[in-house]
Every structure is written in structure tokens, then in C-alpha cells.
């Protein structure tokens, strides 16, 4: 019934385009990928393939498309058949997405990988894959969703992904560590606009994460409801915030707390962040946190700029910790959730789990006073393991060069 209602809503709000899309060398798979890929693909011609029924606003329909749909009818559900039919008619050399955990991308790639190159660019630390694995192995869910994933070419953050995908037995044909496209976009923005980082200056940048139980329930996401119902999960994430606030007040250090969600773009999700803080902090702690919050401005890369100009970045398992290491900065990953799957991939000075406040304070002070060379020498692995980074050859350059090599033409 839910699928029928969704289909009716899609038909009613969509504009029907009664023609076959023109041929393009490049398809962006999933409209939400456009923002992150816009700088990288600015000199290339591409077609944006809408792949989210809840947000689609156009449907292509023609005699040629209808013929393809009938021909491909038994290759998947109707939506998958529609997507592969469009791709076959557009005849791209490359299909690229920034949503590397997309099951729909995997479905389509399995069917069409012999006809074109499929590339998925990693956009976040894939803690969700570890969550799926945990839920299946603990029999909270019946199906192993990781078996649905298939990526012909994964452009990932670092070598850690090789180990992770092997550990979880996820099918990935080729893995290329290239770093984080979003960090590359931020650095490109700063350079292009000659923009200063001074106003983001801080001693400590706290990247806090929340247990989105309310959001999971609202979206009827039973999978992550199982995760967020675990009281240790929320308490552990909140305790990192409490420890950091106590540390900064006691040691008179400047704190910045960048919000993850842009209030103008995702007001409900931003509200949940504030509610998480209010629910888990004392009045005094909440007032202090609010006075040091940095509202997110997506186009201005506020989160990245805050961590770039901090002396230490603190968090649990966020991508931004890996970004900070990649560019040569100091971090502390503190996991207090009592769940090992949220431990940082590198052991050593940069990692502290299930600790007391006193242990936390001593470690942060130690890192703060330590030269970077000493800090990196006390890590079990080099930063490249979790985040590839090159000042002279950015992630933007690497992706663009690869696309040109595969025959994608420029304007």
C-alpha cells in the first residue's frame, strides 16, 4: 500500500517529458550527488539521473523508452527497469554517484557494468555498514543487507576501506583511495574566494553526533531504530560532549561546536541536534554549548573550516576526524558508547575508549602540548590509512583525470 501511495504522489507531482534524453558521456546517478560533484564536473557535460522517488519531479516517456522497458522488464522492479532503460538510451561512458551506499546504484551496476563504467565516490565514514552487520549477526534483522551492495569501482577515503569491505565480505571490484571530495571542495572554495579561516580559530573543535531515534521513527526506519534504542549509544555520544565542555571550561580553552545540519535546508534535522544537546546536558552545559555552536552553512563549508583552524578536533567516529588527520592535524577519537564497532580505525595517541573524565583530560592536554611530529609518531598507522590527502594533487583532480581517461568529453 505504501508503494502504491508513493507511486501516485510521484505521478501527480512530476512533469512528464515526452522524449528520450540526449546522449551524454557522463551520468550523475542520484540528484543529491550534484552539489558535491559540481566543482569536479564543472567542465564536463553530464546528465542528472533522478533516482529518489520521494523527490523526483520529472519522468521521461517515449516510444523508445517504452520499448526498452518491455525488453528489460524481468531485470528488476519497475523503477530499476526504468533507470536501466534510460541509461541504455543515453549510452554514457561513465555513471558516477556520490552516494556510495546506494542499493539502487548497486542494482543497476550489476545489470549494466559490462556496458559502462560505474563509479561510486565515498561520501562518509561507513559506520552504517558496521551497523547492518551487527543487526544481522545479532538476529535483530532477518536479511543481510550488505549482500545487496555491489560497487564496480569505489573511490574511497583511504586504505582502511580495503580492509573494511573485505572484513564485511561486500563485493567491490576495484578500490582506489583518493581522499575526501568534500574536503577538496572546501579547500578549493577557500583558495578561489581568498577566504580567511581566522574567524573559525579555536583550541578545540568538537564534532558531536546524535542518536537520531526520533528521525528514525518518523521515517519508519526500523533498522536504525534498533541502534538508537540502545541507551548506551546516546549516553556515550552525549558523554563525549559533556567531557569536552567540562575540559574547556576548566582549562579555559576556546571551543567551537559546528552543527552537522544546515538549519535553512534541513530545519527538522537541525532541531533534533539541539534537542539532543538539551536532553543530555545540564542547563549550565547546554547554555555553554549554545554559546559556542557554529551554525552550518553548507555552501560555506563551515564544519570543515572549523576543524581546519582548530588545534585539536574531538569526536567519536565522524568522517571529520579522518579529514583532520589527513591534512596533518591532531585529533582525539573518544568512543564511550561501549560498542567496539565505533572505535577509530587507528590505535595510539589519537584514540581513547571507555575512559573516565580524568583520563580524557590528561589525554587532551598531552595531545595539545605535543608537537605534531611526536603526535603522528605515536599512532599505530599513518594518516593515509584512513584519509588520503595531497596538497599538489587534490581529490578533484584525481576524479576529473580519471573521467577524461575513460573518454568523458569536456565542454
Amino acid at each position: 500500500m505504501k508503494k502504491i501511495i508513493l507511486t501516485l504522489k510521484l505521478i501527480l507531482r512530476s512533469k512528464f517529458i515526452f522524449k528520450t534524453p540526449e546522449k551524454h558521456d557522463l551520468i550523475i546517478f542520484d540528484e543529491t550527488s550534484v552539489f558535491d560533484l559540481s566543482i569536479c564536473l564543472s567542465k564536463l557535460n553530464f546528465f542528472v539521473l533522478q533516482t529518489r522517488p520521494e523527490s523526483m519531479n520529472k519522468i521521461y516517456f517515449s516510444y523508445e523508452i517504452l520499448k526498452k522497458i518491455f525488453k528489460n522488464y524481468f531485470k528488476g522492479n519497475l523503477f530499476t527497469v526504468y533507470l536501466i532503460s534510460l541509461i541504455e538510451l543515453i549510452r554514457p561512458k561513465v555513471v558516477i554517484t556520490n552516494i556510495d551506499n546506494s542499493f539502487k546504484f548497486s542494482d543497476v551496476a550489476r545489470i549494466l557494468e559490462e556496458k559502462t563504467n560505474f563509479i561510486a565516490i565515498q561520501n562518509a565514514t561507513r559506520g552504517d555498514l558496521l551497523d547492518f552487520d551487527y543487526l544481522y549477526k545479532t538476529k535483530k534483522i532477518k536479511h543481510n543487507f550488505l549482500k545487496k551492495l555491489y560497487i564496480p569501482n569505489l573511490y574511497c577515503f583511504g586504505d582502511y576501506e580495503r580492509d573494511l569491505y573485505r572484513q564485511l565480505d561486500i563485493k567491490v571490484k576495484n578500490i582506489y583511495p583518493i581522499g575526501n571530495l568534500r574536503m577538496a571542495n572546501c579547500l578549493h572554495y577557500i583558495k578561489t574566494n581568498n577566504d580567511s579561516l581566522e574567524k573559525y580559530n579555536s583550541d578545540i573543535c568538537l564534532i558531536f553526533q546524535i542518536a537520531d531515534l526520533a528521525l528514525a521513527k518518523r521515517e519508519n526506519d526500523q533498522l536504525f531504530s534498533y541502534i538508537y534504542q540502545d541507551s548506551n549509544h546516546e549516553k556515550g555520544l552525549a558523554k563525549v560532549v559533556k567531557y569536552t565542555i567540562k575540559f574547556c571550561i576548566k582549562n579555559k580553552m576556546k571551543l567551537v561546536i559546528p552543527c552537522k545540519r544546515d538549519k535553512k535546508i534541513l530545519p527538522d534535522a537541525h532541531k533534533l541536534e539541539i534537542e539532543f544537546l538539551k536532553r543530555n546536558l545540564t542547563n549550565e552545559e547546554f547554555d555553554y554549548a549554545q554559546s559556542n555552536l557554529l551554525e552550518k552553512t553548507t555552501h560555506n563549508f563551515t564544519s570543515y573550516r572549523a576543524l581546519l583552524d582548530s588545534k585539536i578536533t574531538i569526536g567519536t567516529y565522524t568522517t571529520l576526524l579522518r579529514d583532520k588527520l589527513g591534512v596533518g592535524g591532531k585529533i582525539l577519537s573518544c568512543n564511550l558508547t561501549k560498542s567496539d564497532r565505533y572505535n577509530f580505525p587507528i590505535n595510539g595517541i589519537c584514540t581513547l575508549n571507555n575512559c573516565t573524565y580524568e583520563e580524557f583530560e590528561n589525554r587532551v592536554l598531552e595531545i595539545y602540548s605535543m608537537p605534531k611530529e611526536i603526535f603522528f609518531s605515536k599512532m599505530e598507522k599513518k594518516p593515509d590509512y584512513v584519509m588520503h590527502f595531497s596538497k599538489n594533487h587534490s581529490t578533484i583532480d584525481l576524479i576529473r583525470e580519471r573521467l577524461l581517461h575513460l573518454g568523458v568529453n569536456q565542454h
Side-chain angles (χ1 to χ4, degrees):
M1 187 65 181
K2 185 181 176 182
K3 288 185 178 180
I4 295 173
I5 293 172
L6 187 61
T7 302
L8 288 172
K9 285 182 177 179
L10 169 61
I11 292 171
L12 289 172
R13 75 163 176 270
S14 294
K15 177 183 178 182
F16 278 79
I17 301 174
F18 294 100
K19 66 176 183 178
T20 303
E22 294 178 0
K23 185 183 180 303
H24 284 77
D25 288 339
L26 179 64
I27 287 179
I28 296 181
F29 189 97
D30 194 319
E31 58 274 29
T32 63
S33 295
V34 174
F35 178 79
D36 289 324
L37 288 167
S38 59
I39 296 173
C40 179
L41 307 183
S42 60
K43 297 179 181 179
L44 305 176
N45 288 310
F46 55 82
F47 177 86
V48 179
L49 184 63
Q50 295 184 334
T51 64
R52 300 192 179 217
E54 68 274 13
S55 60
M56 282 179 67
N57 59 16
K58 62 177 75 169
I59 298 174
Y60 287 89
F61 189 79
S62 70
Y63 177 66
E64 291 165 311
I65 295 171
L66 190 60
K67 277 202 307 183
K68 279 287 184 183
I69 288 174
F70 279 122
K71 184 179 178 181
N72 294 318
Y73 189 74
F74 295 104
K75 294 182 179 179
N77 63 35
L78 183 58
F79 189 52
T80 300
V81 168
Y82 169 75
L83 294 177
I84 65 175
S85 297
L86 285 186
I87 293 171
E88 285 183 325
L89 289 166
I90 295 169
R91 292 183 291 162
K93 292 173 181 173
V94 178
V95 176
I96 193 168
T97 187
N98 197 42
I99 312 302
D100 56 302
N101 58 346
S102 166
F103 292 127
K104 188 58 68 178
F105 179 83
S106 292
D107 289 343
V108 174
R110 275 193 179 96
I111 297 166
L112 295 180
E113 67 169 324
E114 298 300 323
K115 297 181 179 181
T116 190
N117 296 285
F118 282 82
I119 297 172
I121 299 171
Q122 184 176 0
N123 76 70
T125 297
R126 293 270 67 99
D128 54 338
L129 303 183
L130 291 167
D131 285 336
F132 284 138
D133 184 58
Y134 162 77
L135 291 171
Y136 177 68
K137 287 180 177 176
T138 55
K139 299 183 178 179
K140 289 181 169 61
I141 57 175
K142 293 181 180 180
H143 304 290
N144 185 357
F145 286 93
L146 299 184
K147 295 296 182 185
K148 295 176 65 176
L149 287 172
Y150 173 68
I151 306 175
N153 298 284
L154 176 63
Y155 290 11
C156 62
F157 291 161
D159 289 321
Y160 167 68
E161 274 64 42
R162 296 182 193 275
D163 294 337
L164 177 65
Y165 281 81
R166 190 180 300 118
Q167 171 197 329
L168 297 177
D169 194 27
I170 298 172
K171 293 183 179 179
V172 180
K173 255 190 176 180
N174 302 298
I175 294 183
Y176 306 96
I178 64 165
N180 189 353
L181 178 59
R182 287 175 179 165
M183 173 58 84
N185 286 340
C186 172
L187 296 174
H188 179 275
Y189 175 89
I190 292 169
K191 183 179 179 180
T192 303
N193 293 278
N194 196 24
D195 207 349
S196 171
L197 289 170
E198 288 182 9
K199 65 179 178 180
Y200 299 96
N201 188 325
S202 68
D203 294 304
I204 307 294
C205 175
L206 170 64
I207 309 298
F208 77 100
Q209 290 149 287
I210 73 171
D212 290 326
L213 179 58
L215 188 60
K217 285 181 176 178
R218 186 182 308 165
E219 296 183 354
N220 196 28
D221 190 337
Q222 189 61 48
L223 290 175
F224 289 100
S225 289
Y226 283 124
I227 299 295
Y228 303 141
Q229 282 168 358
D230 179 1
S231 61
N232 287 326
H233 187 79
E234 174 153 336
K235 286 178 182 177
L237 296 176
K239 193 180 283 188
V240 175
V241 179
K242 294 171 80 71
Y243 278 9
T244 305
I245 289 172
K246 182 177 180 179
F247 173 86
C248 289
I249 292 173
K250 181 179 177 181
N251 293 280
K252 298 179 180 178
M253 291 201 177
K254 186 177 178 182
L255 173 67
V256 62
I257 309 175
C259 292
K260 184 177 181 181
R261 308 298 184 189
D262 191 318
K263 184 162 61 175
K264 293 181 180 178
I265 299 173
L266 297 167
D268 288 346
H270 177 269
K271 184 181 178 182
L272 288 173
E273 289 186 299
I274 305 304
E275 289 174 354
F276 171 85
L277 293 173
K278 198 166 189 177
R279 184 168 63 247
N280 288 287
L281 303 180
T282 65
N283 290 337
E284 181 184 0
E285 289 169 338
F286 179 71
D287 290 342
Y288 184 82
Q290 273 207 310
S291 67
N292 290 281
L293 278 180
L294 175 64
E295 294 288 354
K296 182 180 180 72
T297 308
T298 302
H299 74 274
N300 203 29
F301 301 96
T302 46
S303 299
Y304 289 96
R305 298 172 77 183
L307 77 87
L308 284 170
D309 207 33
S310 66
K311 293 182 174 65
I312 305 175
T313 298
I314 296 174
T316 301
Y317 53 90
T318 172
T319 304
L320 292 170
L321 290 174
R322 295 168 68 169
D323 281 312
K324 180 73 169 179
L325 273 185
V327 297
K330 295 187 286 185
I331 70 158
L332 178 63
S333 168
C334 186
N335 178 16
L336 305 178
T337 65
K338 299 182 180 179
S339 176
D340 291 348
R341 67 182 182 278
Y342 301 128
N343 288 350
F344 198 69
I346 299 179
N347 291 320
I349 190 75
C350 64
T351 304
L352 189 62
N353 303 321
N354 302 316
C355 62
T356 64
Y357 169 75
E358 287 72 25
E359 291 170 324
F360 174 87
E361 180 179 36
N362 290 337
R363 180 65 63 86
V364 177
L365 287 171
E366 181 185 8
I367 293 172
Y368 189 86
S369 61
M370 184 181 290
K372 286 183 180 180
E373 296 77 16
I374 304 297
F375 172 80
F376 286 109
S377 72
K378 291 180 176 290
M379 285 170 42
E380 186 181 71
K381 297 179 185 290
K382 293 181 179 180
D384 255 9
Y385 179 66
V386 292
M387 188 62 71
H388 175 91
F389 179 78
S390 171
K391 288 183 178 179
N392 300 320
H393 211 177
S394 78
T395 303
I396 294 170
D397 297 329
L398 290 170
I399 295 171
R400 189 180 288 153
E401 287 170 9
R402 181 60 179 163
L403 293 176
L404 293 174
H405 176 74
L406 291 171
V408 176
N409 290 320
Q410 300 190 65
H411 289 305

